[in-house]
Amino acid sequence: MGGKTLAGRMGDRPSRVRRRAPQCCCGRKQPKDRQNMTKFKASTRKDLPQIAEKLKLDKEQILDMQAVSAVLPFRVNDYVVENLIDPGDVPDDPIFQLTFPQRGMLEETDYQRMRDLVVRGASETEIKLAADEIRGKLNPHPAGQMELNVPKLDGEVVAGMQHKYQETVLFFPTQGQTCHAYCSYCFRWAQFIGDADLKFASKEAEELARYVRENPQVSSVLITGGDPMVMKTSILRRYIEPLLAEDLPNLHSIRIGTKALAYWPHRFTEGEDADDFMRLIGEVKAAGKHLALMAHSSHSRELEPDIAQLAVKRLLDAGAVIRCQAPLIRKVNDDANVWAQLWRKQVQLGMVPYYMFVERDTGAKAYFEVPLARAYKVFTEAYSQVSGLCRTVRGPSMSASPGKVLVDGITEVGGEKVFALKFLQGRDPSWVNRLFFAQYDPKATWLDGLKPAFGEERFFFEEPAEKNQPESVRKP
C-alpha cells in the first residue's frame, strides 16, 4: 500500500481518474442522434493483454489475472476502465480491486496450479477441468440457496426463483444472468461460469405471477441476477407486465437489483430503450405499485461522473426510488471515511442508503473478508460522521442461512464480552428483531464462526433446516 491509508487513497483526495467528457465515456457530449449512442464494449479474459496496455500492467500481472480469471468470472467494460479506475493508483485503486482478478483471490496452491497451466499453454479443456475442481471448494451457493430457498407450484420446483423470507420472492430472468461488469467479490459468481447446474434462471413470467397470486403473504418481488438491466426494456416488460395485469392486491412493490448505475449508466440515459424504461416505471406507479432500484453502490467514485448523476436524476424524475447497498470489502471500501462519503453523496443525489453487508462466505472471500469486529467499527465510525438523512442505512448485516443477521453491538454482559446480534429478516418470521448474543471473537468473519454466549450449547435458531423454511416452500 506504500504507506498510504485507505482513506487517503480513496476518501479525501480528488481522484486522478481520466475524464474524457462530462456525460460520456467516449469523448463526445451525450448524443441526441440515436445513431451516435455510446457503444457498450465488454472485455473478458481473452482481452486482458489489451486492457493491460491501458492500465500499464506488466506481464507478470497479466499472467496472474489470466490464472485467476480461469476460475473466477471476469468481465469489464470501457466505461469502467476509462472513467472509474485511476491508472496511477493500480493495483491499489479500489475500482480496479473491485473488478479485476487478483492473485490473492485463490489459495496459493490453486493459484500456482492455474498459473502453470496458463504458462505452458494448456488446452482449454485441461484448464476448465482444473478450474471446475477449484470452484467446487468455493461454496458456489452460500446460505443454502440451492436446497432451502426453492419454491414449488403443484408440488414441482419452480425454476429461477428463490423464496427465503415470507414476504419477498426473488426472480432470476434468464436474459439477465450477466452484468455490464463483474464485481470480483460477487456471491453469485456461479451464475457466470457457464455451468447450468449452478445457475438460477427462468423464462416463465406466468409462473412468477401465479406464484405471487397463490402465496398471499408475498408483498414484494425482487428481479435480480446477474443484472436485469442488461436486458432490453421490452424483455423486462415480459416479466413485469403480468404482475401488473393480474389481480394481485398482495403485491405492493417491485424491486430491480442492479449495478448499472455504476458500471453502465448510459442504460438509463440514451436512446429509446432508456426512454421506454422510464415509461415502464410510470406504468408500475400508475398500477399502484412501488418501484425501487436496489443499486449496488460500493464507492463514491461510481457516482462522480456526470452521466451517472444524470441517470440517477432521470430515474427519480420517472418515479423510482433508489435504495443503495453494498458489502464491506477489504481493499475497496474498508474505511469509515469512504462509507461516510458514499452515504453523503447518495443522499445529495436523492438516493437512500439502505444496507452495508458483510462479504458472504463464497468465492474469493479470504481475499475480501473483514472480521465482524472491524466491520462493526467501520460502520459505527462512518455512522457517527453523517446526518440523520444518511442513517436510513443498516449494517453490518450478514445474509446467512437462517436470515439477515445484524451485528448490533459489542458489549459486556455479566463479565463476558459478546457480540449483540439481531435478526432483520428470518426464515421464521418470529425471529425478526430478536436479539441474541455470541462470544466475542476478534477473528470471526461470518455467523458460522461464532459460538453462543453464556455457556449455551447452540443458538436458538439452530433447528433442522426443513423447520426453518417459509410455509410456501414446505408445502408438499
Side-chain angles (χ1 to χ4, degrees):
M1 296 293 184
K4 293 182 288 186
T5 65
L6 196 63
R9 288 190 294 107
M10 300 193 296
D12 299 327
R13 65 165 173 79
S15 72
R16 293 171 289 163
V17 178
R18 290 168 285 177
R19 306 292 182 197
R20 295 192 173 195
Q23 291 187 0
C24 180
C25 69
C26 61
R28 303 186 299 268
K29 293 182 180 179
Q30 186 183 349
K32 295 181 180 179
D33 184 352
R34 290 182 183 130
Q35 297 298 318
N36 295 324
M37 287 197 307
T38 310
K39 185 178 180 180
F40 176 80
K41 182 179 183 298
S43 298
T44 59
R45 181 172 178 264
K46 64 181 175 58
D47 304 304
L48 278 169
Q50 290 73 42
I51 302 172
E53 292 181 13
K54 296 180 181 180
L55 298 178
K56 300 180 175 63
L57 303 175
D58 60 36
K59 291 182 179 179
E60 290 301 308
Q61 289 173 305
I62 297 171
L63 282 173
D64 286 349
M65 291 191 293
Q66 288 174 326
V68 176
S69 61
V71 178
L72 297 171
F74 167 69
R75 176 181 167 100
V76 75
N77 66 63
D78 285 354
Y79 173 82
V80 172
V81 172
E82 297 174 5
N83 289 266
L84 301 183
I85 295 175
D86 180 350
D89 202 22
V90 170
D92 293 335
D93 179 87
I95 308 301
F96 180 78
Q97 290 284 331
L98 182 63
T99 54
F100 278 77
Q102 310 293 326
R103 173 173 177 166
M105 291 177 183
L106 297 181
E107 294 286 343
E108 185 61 20
T109 54
D110 293 332
Y111 160 76
Q112 290 293 345
R113 179 183 181 187
M114 297 309 301
R115 193 180 194 278
D116 289 346
L117 290 172
V118 170
V119 169
R120 69 176 173 83
S123 68
E124 287 300 313
T125 299
E126 190 175 358
I127 289 175
K128 184 180 185 303
L129 286 171
D132 287 345
E133 186 178 323
I134 295 169
R135 288 167 184 155
K137 302 186 293 185
L138 298 179
N139 189 21
H141 281 295
Q145 293 180 84
M146 295 292 280
E147 303 85 15
L148 302 179
N149 303 343
V150 182
K152 294 182 179 180
L153 280 173
D154 301 327
E156 298 293 327
V157 170
V158 182
M161 289 170 56
Q162 293 181 12
H163 191 188
K164 181 175 182 178
Y165 308 125
Q166 64 171 0
E167 63 283 334
T168 305
V169 167
L170 277 63
F171 184 73
F172 298 76
T174 298
Q175 303 91 331
Q177 299 315 302
T178 187
C179 302
H180 294 101
Y182 294 154
C183 296
S184 46
Y185 66 79
C186 184
F187 77 93
R188 290 201 179 122
W189 60 270
Q191 295 284 96
F192 312 134
I193 60 174
D195 188 334
D197 291 337
L198 296 179
K199 182 177 288 190
F200 286 99
S202 177
K203 296 181 180 178
E204 302 300 330
E206 293 77 13
E207 282 193 347
L208 172 62
R210 182 186 165 202
Y211 187 83
V212 173
R213 183 176 65 251
E214 296 188 8
N215 288 274
Q217 76 276 24
V218 174
S219 63
S220 185
V221 169
L222 171 56
I223 302 173
T224 185
D227 191 329
M229 296 313 303
V230 301
M231 299 189 297
K232 296 284 189 182
T233 302
S234 59
I235 304 298
L236 193 57
R237 283 181 173 276
R238 296 179 193 173
Y239 298 107
I240 291 180
E241 287 179 345
L243 296 174
L244 306 182
E246 289 273 352
D247 181 20
L248 300 174
N250 53 310
L251 181 65
H252 300 158
S253 62
I254 297 172
R255 294 180 264 176
I256 301 173
T258 184
K259 185 79 176 178
L261 279 171
Y263 287 165
W264 190 245
H266 302 80
R267 173 63 181 85
F268 306 105
T269 63
E270 293 187 1
E272 171 58 25
D273 198 49
D275 294 345
D276 192 31
F277 184 65
M278 301 306 145
R279 290 192 292 269
L280 180 58
I281 293 172
E283 291 164 24
V284 173
K285 297 285 289 182
K289 313 297 183 185
H290 174 87
L291 190 137
L293 251 72
M294 314 308 290
H296 292 252
S297 184
S298 305
H299 195 282
S300 61
R301 188 182 294 173
E302 298 167 340
L303 300 174
E304 288 177 7
D306 288 351
I307 188 70
Q309 296 185 20
L310 176 61
V312 170
K313 183 179 187 302
R314 290 203 78 197
L315 288 163
L316 296 177
D317 288 348
V321 172
I322 305 173
R323 300 183 184 273
C324 302
Q325 57 192 30
L328 175 68
I329 298 294
R330 190 167 67 93
K331 299 178 181 287
V332 174
N333 56 19
D334 58 328
D335 183 273
N337 293 335
V338 172
W339 281 95
Q341 183 173 328
L342 174 63
W343 295 336
R344 290 191 202 102
K345 175 58 72 173
Q346 290 166 353
V347 169
Q348 178 187 356
L349 296 177
M351 307 160 87
V352 182
Y354 189 49
Y355 269 117
M356 173 201 278
F357 289 117
V358 176
E359 163 63 355
R360 295 180 78 157
D361 55 338
T362 182
K365 69 180 183 66
Y367 186 79
F368 288 120
E369 64 188 359
V370 175
L372 297 176
R374 172 155 173 75
Y376 176 73
K377 183 175 186 290
V378 169
F379 180 88
T380 301
E381 290 180 356
Y383 200 75
S384 69
Q385 295 182 39
V386 297
S387 74
L389 289 176
C390 297
R391 293 182 181 176
T392 51
V393 69
R394 295 177 290 186
S397 173
M398 294 175 278
S399 292
S401 180
K404 280 193 175 74
V405 176
L406 178 73
V407 181
D408 209 23
I410 298 172
T411 188
E412 190 171 299
V413 179
E416 182 177 350
K417 191 173 184 179
V418 296
F419 285 114
L421 306 168
K422 182 169 69 174
F423 275 98
L424 299 176
Q425 283 277 24
R427 289 189 184 281
D428 184 331
S430 68
W431 299 347
V432 175
N433 218 35
R434 181 168 173 176
L435 283 167
F436 62 104
F437 297 90
Q439 296 175 23
Y440 178 77
D441 182 347
K443 296 181 179 180
T445 59
W446 196 249
L447 184 64
D448 62 8
L450 297 176
K451 297 179 180 179
F454 317 132
E456 296 291 331
E457 292 186 3
R458 65 181 64 186
F459 293 114
F460 74 90
F461 53 82
E462 293 181 320
E463 299 290 342
E466 63 270 15
K467 293 184 179 180
N468 295 337
Q469 298 183 37
E471 182 181 349
S472 61
V473 178
R474 296 199 304 265
K475 289 179 180 178

